[in-house]
Coordinates of all heavy atoms in Angstrom, one line a residue:
M3 N -10.8 18.6 -0.9 CA -11.4 18.4 0.4 C -10.4 18.7 1.5 O -9.4 18.2 1.4 CB -12.0 17.0 0.5 CG -12.6 16.7 1.8 SD -13.3 15.0 1.6 CE -12.8 14.5 3.3
K4 N -10.8 19.6 2.4 CA -10.0 20.0 3.5 C -10.7 19.5 4.9 O -12.0 20.0 5.0 CB -9.8 21.5 3.5 CG -8.8 21.8 4.5 CD -8.5 23.3 4.3 CE -7.6 23.9 5.4 NZ -7.4 25.2 5.4
V5 N -10.0 18.9 5.7 CA -10.6 18.4 6.9 C -9.8 19.1 7.9 O -8.6 18.9 8.1 CB -10.7 16.9 7.2 CG1 -11.2 16.6 8.5 CG2 -11.4 16.3 6.0
E6 N -10.5 19.7 9.0 CA -9.8 20.4 10.1 C -10.3 19.9 11.4 O -11.4 19.6 11.5 CB -9.9 21.9 10.1 CG -9.3 22.6 8.9 CD -9.4 24.1 8.9 OE1 -9.5 24.6 10.1 OE2 -9.4 24.7 7.8
Y7 N -9.4 19.7 12.3 CA -9.7 19.1 13.6 C -9.1 20.2 14.7 O -8.1 20.6 14.5 CB -9.1 17.8 13.9 CG -9.8 16.7 13.1 CD1 -9.2 16.2 12.0 CD2 -11.0 16.2 13.7 CE1 -9.9 15.2 11.4 CE2 -11.6 15.2 12.9 CZ -11.0 14.8 11.8 OH -11.7 13.7 11.1
D8 N -10.0 20.4 15.7 CA -9.5 21.2 16.8 C -8.4 20.3 17.6 O -8.4 19.2 17.6 CB -10.6 21.6 17.7 CG -11.6 22.5 17.2 OD1 -11.1 23.4 16.4 OD2 -12.7 22.5 17.5
P9 N -7.3 21.1 18.1 CA -6.4 20.2 18.8 C -7.1 19.6 20.0 O -8.0 20.1 20.5 CB -5.4 21.3 19.3 CG -5.7 22.6 18.6 CD -7.1 22.5 18.1
F10 N -6.5 18.5 20.4 CA -7.0 17.8 21.4 C -5.9 17.4 22.6 O -4.8 17.5 22.1 CB -8.0 16.4 21.0 CG -7.0 15.5 20.2 CD1 -6.1 14.7 20.7 CD2 -7.2 15.7 18.8 CE1 -5.5 13.9 19.8 CE2 -6.6 14.9 18.0 CZ -5.6 13.8 18.4
E11 N -6.4 17.3 23.7 CA -5.3 17.0 24.7 C -5.0 15.6 24.8 O -5.7 14.7 24.7 CB -6.0 17.4 26.1 CG -5.1 17.1 27.4 CD -5.8 17.4 28.6 OE1 -7.0 17.8 28.5 OE2 -5.2 17.3 29.7
I12 N -3.6 15.3 24.9 CA -3.0 14.0 25.1 C -2.3 14.0 26.5 O -1.5 14.8 26.6 CB -2.1 13.7 24.0 CG1 -2.8 13.5 22.6 CG2 -1.4 12.2 24.3 CD1 -1.9 13.3 21.4
R13 N -2.9 13.1 27.4 CA -2.4 13.0 28.6 C -1.5 11.7 28.7 O -2.0 10.6 28.1 CB -3.3 13.0 29.7 CG -4.1 14.3 29.8 CD -5.3 14.1 30.8 NE -6.3 13.3 30.3 CZ -7.1 12.5 30.9 NH1 -6.8 12.3 32.2 NH2 -7.9 11.7 30.3
I14 N -0.2 11.8 29.1 CA 0.6 10.6 29.3 C 0.8 10.3 30.8 O 1.2 11.2 31.6 CB 1.9 10.9 28.5 CG1 1.5 11.0 27.0 CG2 2.8 9.6 28.7 CD1 2.8 11.3 26.2
V15 N 0.6 9.1 31.1 CA 1.0 8.6 32.5 C 2.0 7.5 32.3 O 2.1 6.8 31.3 CB -0.3 8.1 33.3 CG1 -1.1 9.3 33.5 CG2 -0.9 7.0 32.6
I16 N 2.8 7.3 33.4 CA 3.9 6.3 33.3 C 3.9 5.4 34.6 O 4.7 4.9 35.1 CB 5.3 6.9 33.3 CG1 5.5 8.0 34.4 CG2 5.5 7.6 31.9 CD1 6.9 8.5 34.5
D17 N 2.5 5.2 35.1 CA 2.4 4.3 36.2 C 1.1 3.4 35.9 O 0.4 3.7 35.2 CB 2.2 5.1 37.5 CG 0.9 6.1 37.5 OD1 -0.1 5.7 36.9 OD2 1.1 7.2 38.0
N18 N 1.0 2.5 36.8 CA -0.2 1.6 36.6 C -1.3 2.0 37.6 O -2.2 1.1 37.9 CB 0.3 0.1 36.9 CG 1.0 -0.4 35.7 OD1 0.6 -0.2 34.5 ND2 2.1 -1.1 36.0
E19 N -1.3 3.1 38.2 CA -2.2 3.5 39.3 C -3.4 4.4 38.7 O -4.4 4.6 39.4 CB -1.4 4.5 40.3 CG -0.5 3.5 41.1 CD 0.3 4.3 42.2 OE1 -0.2 5.5 42.4 OE2 1.3 3.9 42.7
T20 N -3.3 4.6 37.5 CA -4.3 5.5 36.8 C -5.4 4.5 36.4 O -5.0 3.6 35.7 CB -3.8 6.3 35.6 OG1 -2.6 7.1 36.1 CG2 -4.8 7.2 34.9
N21 N -6.6 4.8 36.6 CA -7.8 3.9 36.2 C -8.1 4.2 34.9 O -8.5 5.3 34.5 CB -9.0 4.2 37.1 CG -8.8 3.7 38.6 OD1 -8.0 2.7 38.8 ND2 -9.4 4.4 39.5
T22 N -7.9 3.2 34.0 CA -8.5 3.2 32.5 C -9.2 1.9 32.3 O -9.0 0.9 32.9 CB -7.2 3.4 31.7 OG1 -6.3 2.4 31.7 CG2 -6.5 4.7 31.8
S23 N -10.1 2.1 31.3 CA -10.7 0.7 30.8 C -9.7 -0.1 30.0 O -10.1 -1.3 29.7 CB -12.0 1.1 30.0 OG -11.6 1.8 28.9
C24 N -8.6 0.5 29.5 CA -7.7 -0.2 28.7 C -6.3 0.0 29.2 O -5.9 1.1 29.7 CB -7.8 0.3 27.2 SG -6.6 -0.4 26.2
N25 N -5.5 -0.9 29.2 CA -4.1 -0.9 29.7 C -3.1 0.1 29.0 O -2.3 0.8 29.3 CB -3.5 -2.3 29.8 CG -4.0 -3.3 30.7 OD1 -4.8 -2.7 31.7 ND2 -3.8 -4.5 30.7
F26 N -3.4 0.3 27.7 CA -2.5 1.1 26.8 C -3.1 2.4 26.7 O -2.3 3.5 26.8 CB -2.6 0.5 25.4 CG -1.9 -0.9 25.5 CD1 -2.8 -2.0 25.2 CD2 -0.5 -1.1 25.7 CE1 -2.1 -3.3 25.3 CE2 0.0 -2.4 25.8 CZ -0.8 -3.4 25.5
G27 N -4.3 2.7 26.5 CA -4.8 4.1 26.2 C -6.3 4.2 26.3 O -7.0 3.1 26.1
E28 N -6.8 5.4 26.2 CA -8.3 5.6 26.3 C -8.7 7.0 25.9 O -7.9 8.1 26.1 CB -8.6 5.5 27.8 CG -10.1 5.5 28.1 CD -10.4 5.2 29.7 OE1 -10.2 6.1 30.4 OE2 -10.6 4.1 29.9
Y29 N -9.6 6.9 24.9 CA -10.2 8.2 24.5 C -11.4 8.6 25.4 O -12.2 7.8 25.6 CB -10.7 8.0 23.0 CG -11.5 9.2 22.6 CD1 -11.0 10.4 22.4 CD2 -12.9 9.0 22.3 CE1 -11.9 11.5 22.0 CE2 -13.8 10.1 22.0 CZ -13.3 11.3 21.7 OH -14.1 12.3 21.4
T30 N -11.5 9.8 25.9 CA -12.5 10.2 26.8 C -13.4 11.2 26.0 O -13.0 12.5 25.7 CB -12.0 11.0 27.9 OG1 -10.9 10.1 28.6 CG2 -12.9 11.2 29.0
P31 N -14.7 10.7 25.5 CA -15.4 11.4 24.8 C -16.0 12.7 25.4 O -16.2 13.8 24.7 CB -16.8 10.5 24.5 CG -16.3 9.2 24.8 CD -15.2 9.4 25.9
H32 N -16.2 12.8 26.7 CA -16.9 14.0 27.3 C -15.9 15.3 27.2 O -16.4 16.3 27.1 CB -17.2 13.7 28.8 CG -16.0 13.7 29.6 ND1 -15.5 12.4 30.0 CD2 -15.4 14.6 30.6 CE1 -14.4 12.5 30.8 NE2 -14.4 13.8 31.1
D33 N -14.6 15.0 27.2 CA -13.7 16.1 27.0 C -12.8 16.1 25.8 O -11.9 17.0 25.4 CB -12.9 16.5 28.2 CG -11.9 15.4 28.6 OD1 -11.8 14.3 27.8 OD2 -11.2 15.5 29.5
G34 N -12.9 15.0 25.1 CA -12.2 14.7 23.9 C -10.6 14.5 24.0 O -9.8 14.7 23.1
S35 N -10.3 14.2 25.3 CA -8.9 14.0 25.6 C -8.5 12.6 25.3 O -9.3 11.6 25.3 CB -8.5 14.5 27.1 OG -9.0 13.5 27.9
I36 N -7.1 12.3 25.3 CA -6.7 10.9 25.0 C -5.6 10.7 26.1 O -4.7 11.6 26.3 CB -6.0 10.8 23.6 CG1 -7.1 10.8 22.6 CG2 -5.2 9.5 23.6 CD1 -6.4 10.9 21.0
L37 N -5.8 9.6 26.8 CA -4.8 9.1 27.9 C -3.9 8.1 27.4 O -4.5 7.1 26.7 CB -5.5 8.8 29.1 CG -4.7 8.2 30.3 CD1 -3.9 9.2 30.8 CD2 -5.7 7.5 31.3
L38 N -2.7 8.1 27.4 CA -1.7 7.1 27.1 C -1.0 6.6 28.2 O -0.3 7.4 28.9 CB -0.9 7.5 25.9 CG -1.5 7.9 24.7 CD1 -0.5 8.4 23.7 CD2 -2.3 6.7 24.0
N39 N -1.0 5.3 28.5 CA -0.3 4.8 29.6 C 1.1 4.1 29.1 O 1.0 3.0 28.7 CB -1.1 3.8 30.6 CG -0.4 3.3 31.7 OD1 0.8 3.7 32.2 ND2 -1.2 2.8 32.6
L40 N 2.2 4.8 29.4 CA 3.5 4.3 28.8 C 3.9 3.1 29.6 O 4.7 2.3 29.2 CB 4.6 5.5 28.9 CG 4.3 6.7 28.1 CD1 5.5 7.6 28.2 CD2 4.0 6.3 26.6
A41 N 3.4 2.9 31.0 CA 4.1 1.7 31.7 C 3.6 0.4 31.0 O 4.1 -0.6 31.2 CB 3.3 1.9 33.1
S42 N 2.5 0.4 30.2 CA 2.0 -0.8 29.5 C 2.6 -1.1 28.2 O 2.3 -2.0 27.6 CB 0.6 -0.8 29.4 OG 0.0 -0.5 30.7
M43 N 3.4 0.0 27.7 CA 3.8 -0.2 26.2 C 5.3 -0.6 26.3 O 6.2 0.0 26.7 CB 3.7 1.2 25.6 CG 2.2 1.7 25.5 SD 2.0 3.1 24.5 CE 0.4 3.6 25.1
E44 N 5.4 -1.6 25.4 CA 6.8 -2.3 25.4 C 7.6 -1.7 24.2 O 8.9 -2.1 24.1 CB 6.7 -3.8 25.4 CG 6.1 -4.2 24.1 CD 4.7 -5.1 24.4 OE1 4.4 -5.2 25.7 OE2 4.3 -5.9 23.4
S45 N 7.1 -1.1 23.3 CA 7.8 -0.6 22.2 C 7.2 0.7 21.5 O 6.0 1.1 21.8 CB 7.8 -1.7 21.1 OG 6.5 -1.8 20.4
R46 N 7.9 1.2 20.7 CA 7.5 2.5 19.9 C 6.3 2.1 19.1 O 5.4 3.0 18.8 CB 8.5 3.2 19.1 CG 8.3 4.3 18.4 CD 9.5 4.9 17.6 NE 10.7 4.4 18.1 CZ 11.8 4.6 17.3 NH1 11.9 5.4 16.3 NH2 13.0 4.0 17.7
E47 N 6.3 0.9 18.6 CA 5.2 0.6 17.7 C 3.9 0.4 18.4 O 2.8 0.8 17.8 CB 5.6 -0.8 17.0 CG 6.6 -0.7 15.9 CD 8.1 -0.7 16.5 OE1 8.3 -0.9 17.6 OE2 9.0 -0.2 15.7
V48 N 4.0 -0.1 19.6 CA 2.7 -0.1 20.4 C 2.1 1.2 20.8 O 1.0 1.4 20.7 CB 3.0 -0.9 21.7 CG1 1.7 -1.0 22.6 CG2 3.2 -2.5 21.4
F49 N 3.1 2.1 21.1 CA 2.8 3.4 21.2 C 2.0 4.1 20.2 O 1.0 4.7 20.3 CB 3.9 4.3 21.8 CG 3.7 5.7 21.9 CD1 3.1 6.3 23.0 CD2 4.0 6.7 20.9 CE1 2.9 7.6 23.1 CE2 3.6 8.0 21.0 CZ 3.1 8.5 22.2
M50 N 2.6 4.1 18.9 CA 2.1 4.6 17.8 C 0.8 4.0 17.4 O -0.2 4.7 17.0 CB 3.1 4.4 16.5 CG 4.3 5.4 16.8 SD 4.1 7.0 16.9 CE 3.3 7.6 15.5
V51 N 0.7 2.6 17.5 CA -0.6 2.1 17.1 C -1.7 2.5 18.1 O -3.0 2.7 17.8 CB -0.6 0.5 17.2 CG1 -1.9 -0.3 17.0 CG2 0.3 0.0 15.9
T52 N -1.3 2.6 19.5 CA -2.4 3.0 20.4 C -2.7 4.5 20.2 O -3.8 4.6 20.2 CB -1.8 2.8 21.8 OG1 -1.4 1.5 22.0 CG2 -2.7 3.4 22.9
L53 N -1.8 5.3 19.8 CA -2.1 6.7 19.6 C -3.0 6.8 18.4 O -4.1 7.4 18.4 CB -0.9 7.5 19.4 CG -1.0 9.0 19.0 CD1 -1.7 9.7 20.2 CD2 0.3 9.6 18.7
I54 N -2.9 6.1 17.3 CA -3.6 6.0 16.0 C -5.0 5.5 16.4 O -6.0 6.2 16.0 CB -2.9 5.4 14.8 CG1 -1.7 6.1 14.4 CG2 -4.0 5.2 13.8 CD1 -0.9 5.3 13.5
H55 N -5.1 4.4 17.2 CA -6.4 3.9 17.5 C -7.1 4.8 18.4 O -8.3 5.0 18.0 CB -6.0 2.6 18.4 CG -7.3 1.9 19.0 ND1 -7.8 0.9 18.3 CD2 -8.0 2.2 20.1 CE1 -8.9 0.5 19.1 NE2 -9.0 1.3 20.2
E56 N -6.7 5.5 19.3 CA -7.3 6.5 20.2 C -7.8 7.7 19.3 O -8.8 8.2 19.5 CB -6.6 6.9 21.3 CG -6.3 5.6 22.3 CD -7.4 4.9 22.7 OE1 -8.6 5.5 22.8 OE2 -7.3 3.8 22.9
I57 N -6.9 8.2 18.4 CA -7.3 9.2 17.4 C -8.5 8.8 16.5 O -9.4 9.6 16.3 CB -6.1 9.8 16.7 CG1 -5.2 10.4 17.5 CG2 -6.5 10.6 15.5 CD1 -3.8 10.8 16.9
L58 N -8.5 7.6 16.1 CA -9.7 7.1 15.3 C -10.9 7.1 16.2 O -12.0 7.4 15.6 CB -9.4 5.8 14.7 CG -8.5 5.8 13.6 CD1 -7.9 4.4 13.0 CD2 -8.9 6.7 12.4
H59 N -10.9 6.8 17.4 CA -12.0 6.8 18.2 C -12.4 8.3 18.3 O -13.7 8.6 18.2 CB -11.6 6.5 19.8 CG -11.8 5.1 20.0 ND1 -13.0 4.5 20.1 CD2 -10.8 4.0 20.5 CE1 -12.8 3.3 20.5 NE2 -11.4 3.0 20.8
A60 N -11.7 9.3 18.4 CA -12.0 10.6 18.5 C -12.6 11.1 17.0 O -13.6 11.9 17.0 CB -10.8 11.5 18.8
A61 N -12.0 10.6 16.0 CA -12.6 11.0 14.7 C -13.9 10.3 14.6 O -14.9 11.0 13.9 CB -11.6 10.3 13.5
I62 N -14.2 9.1 14.9 CA -15.6 8.6 14.8 C -16.4 9.3 15.7 O -17.7 9.6 15.3 CB -15.5 7.1 15.2 CG1 -14.8 6.3 14.3 CG2 -16.9 6.5 15.5 CD1 -14.3 4.8 14.7
D63 N -16.1 9.7 16.9 CA -16.9 10.6 17.7 C -17.3 11.8 17.1 O -18.5 12.3 17.2 CB -16.2 10.8 19.1 CG -17.1 11.3 20.1 OD1 -18.3 10.8 20.3 OD2 -16.8 12.2 20.9
D64 N -16.3 12.4 16.5 CA -16.6 13.9 15.8 C -17.6 13.7 14.6 O -18.1 14.7 14.2 CB -15.2 14.3 15.2 CG -14.4 15.0 16.2 OD1 -14.8 15.2 17.3 OD2 -13.3 15.3 16.0
T65 N -17.9 12.5 14.1 CA -19.0 12.4 13.1 C -20.3 12.6 13.6 O -21.3 13.1 12.8 CB -19.0 11.1 12.5 OG1 -19.3 10.0 13.5 CG2 -17.5 10.7 11.9
G66 N -20.5 12.5 14.9 CA -21.7 12.8 15.5 C -22.6 11.5 15.5 O -23.7 11.6 16.1
E67 N -22.1 10.4 14.8 CA -22.9 9.2 15.0 C -22.8 8.6 16.4 O -21.7 8.8 17.1 CB -22.3 8.1 13.9 CG -22.5 8.5 12.5 CD -24.0 8.5 12.1 OE1 -24.7 7.6 12.7 OE2 -24.5 9.3 11.3
N68 N -23.8 8.0 16.8 CA -23.8 7.4 18.2 C -23.5 6.0 18.0 O -24.3 5.2 17.7 CB -25.2 7.5 18.9 CG -25.3 7.2 20.2 OD1 -24.2 7.0 20.9 ND2 -26.4 7.0 20.8
T69 N -22.2 5.7 18.2 CA -21.7 4.3 18.1 C -21.3 3.7 19.5 O -20.9 4.5 20.4 CB -20.5 4.2 17.2 OG1 -19.4 5.1 17.7 CG2 -20.7 4.8 15.7
T70 N -21.3 2.4 19.6 CA -20.7 1.8 20.8 C -19.2 1.6 20.6 O -18.7 1.6 19.6 CB -21.4 0.5 21.1 OG1 -21.1 -0.4 20.0 CG2 -23.0 0.7 21.1
E71 N -18.5 1.3 21.8 CA -17.0 0.9 21.8 C -17.0 -0.4 21.0 O -16.0 -0.4 20.2 CB -16.5 0.8 23.1 CG -15.0 0.8 23.1 CD -14.4 1.1 24.4 OE1 -15.0 1.5 25.3 OE2 -13.2 0.9 24.3
K72 N -17.8 -1.2 21.0 CA -17.8 -2.5 20.4 C -17.8 -2.2 18.8 O -17.0 -2.8 17.9 CB -18.9 -3.5 20.6 CG -18.8 -4.8 20.0 CD -20.0 -5.7 20.6 CE -19.8 -7.1 19.9 NZ -20.9 -8.1 20.3
Q73 N -18.6 -1.3 18.4 CA -18.7 -1.0 17.1 C -17.4 -0.3 16.5 O -17.0 -0.6 15.5 CB -20.0 -0.1 16.7 CG -21.3 -0.8 16.9 CD -22.6 0.1 16.7 OE1 -22.4 1.4 17.3 NE2 -23.5 -0.1 16.0
D74 N -17.0 0.7 17.4 CA -15.7 1.3 17.0 C -14.6 0.3 16.9 O -13.8 0.3 15.9 CB -15.4 2.4 18.1 CG -16.2 3.5 18.1 OD1 -17.0 3.7 17.3 OD2 -16.0 4.5 19.0
H75 N -14.6 -0.7 17.8 CA -13.5 -1.7 17.8 C -13.6 -2.7 16.6 O -12.7 -3.4 16.2 CB -13.4 -2.4 19.1 CG -12.8 -1.7 20.1 ND1 -12.8 -2.1 21.4 CD2 -12.1 -0.4 20.0 CE1 -12.2 -1.0 22.1 NE2 -11.7 0.0 21.3
W76 N -14.9 -2.8 15.9 CA -15.0 -3.5 14.8 C -14.4 -2.7 13.6 O -13.7 -3.2 12.8 CB -16.4 -3.8 14.5 CG -16.5 -4.7 13.3 CD1 -16.6 -6.1 13.3 CD2 -16.8 -4.3 11.8 NE1 -16.8 -6.6 12.0 CE2 -16.9 -5.5 11.1 CE3 -16.9 -3.1 11.2 CZ2 -17.1 -5.6 9.7 CZ3 -17.1 -3.1 9.9 CH2 -17.2 -4.4 9.1
V77 N -14.6 -1.3 13.5 CA -14.2 -0.6 12.4 C -12.8 -0.1 12.4 O -12.1 -0.2 11.4 CB -15.1 0.8 12.4 CG1 -14.5 1.9 11.4 CG2 -16.6 0.4 12.1
I78 N -12.4 0.3 13.6 CA -10.9 0.8 13.7 C -9.8 -0.1 13.2 O -9.0 0.3 12.3 CB -10.6 1.2 15.1 CG1 -11.4 2.6 15.5 CG2 -9.1 1.5 15.4 CD1 -11.3 2.9 16.9
P79 N -9.7 -1.4 13.5 CA -8.8 -2.4 13.0 C -8.9 -2.3 11.4 O -7.8 -2.5 10.7 CB -9.0 -3.7 13.6 CG -9.7 -3.4 14.8 CD -10.6 -2.2 14.6
R80 N -10.0 -2.4 10.8 CA -10.2 -2.3 9.5 C -9.6 -1.2 8.8 O -9.1 -1.1 7.8 CB -11.6 -2.6 9.0 CG -12.0 -4.1 9.3 CD -13.4 -4.3 9.6 NE -13.9 -5.7 9.9 CZ -13.7 -6.3 10.9 NH1 -13.2 -5.6 12.0 NH2 -14.0 -7.6 11.1
L81 N -9.8 0.1 9.4 CA -9.2 1.3 9.0 C -7.8 1.3 9.0 O -7.0 1.9 8.2 CB -9.8 2.6 9.9 CG -11.3 2.7 9.6 CD1 -11.7 3.9 10.7 CD2 -11.6 3.2 8.2
M82 N -7.2 0.6 10.1 CA -5.8 0.6 10.2 C -5.0 -0.5 9.4 O -3.8 -0.4 9.4 CB -5.4 0.5 11.9 CG -5.9 1.5 12.6 SD -5.5 1.4 14.4 CE -3.8 1.3 14.4
S83 N -5.7 -1.3 8.7 CA -5.0 -2.4 8.1 C -4.7 -1.9 6.7 O -5.1 -0.9 6.2 CB -5.9 -3.7 7.9 OG -7.2 -3.4 7.3

């Protein structure tokens, strides 16, 4: 089985002035981009977990299923454990 993904944009900010719904990162479904806010991240591990979390949001979105963020947040931690 081979799975291919188109590249997606990762935007990185280092301030607290960017409006996001989450302090660490955010996946934007309308353009498929991921925003990571380094000002909120205290370690490399937090950065990596946040990046993987947001990539999983993108992967769930790519399935075409209409899920809520609450549903995604139930599934994502279980996929990451």
Side-chain angles (χ1 to χ4, degrees):
M3 180 172 129
K4 183 177 179 183
V5 177
E6 293 184 29
Y7 288 98
D8 291 329
F10 48 86
E11 177 184 356
I12 298 176
R13 296 175 289 143
I14 296 177
V15 295
I16 55 172
D17 59 41
N18 288 320
E19 297 177 10
T20 303
N21 291 329
T22 61
S23 63
C24 175
N25 291 338
F26 299 108
E28 185 172 84
Y29 166 68
T30 310
H32 72 273
D33 65 3
S35 68
I36 292 174
L37 173 70
L38 299 173
N39 188 349
L40 297 184
S42 302
M43 298 186 196
E44 62 237 14
S45 68
R46 184 180 342 173
E47 289 78 21
V48 172
F49 174 81
M50 293 304 297
V51 168
T52 302
L53 179 60
I54 292 166
H55 176 97
E56 299 307 329
I57 288 171
L58 287 172
H59 271 298
I62 291 169
D63 192 48
D64 282 348
T65 67
E67 293 292 324
N68 189 12
T69 61
T70 66
E71 189 158 355
K72 183 177 180 179
Q73 289 171 320
D74 289 359
H75 283 170
W76 187 89
V77 170
I78 288 171
R80 286 155 179 80
L81 291 173
M82 293 177 67
S83 64

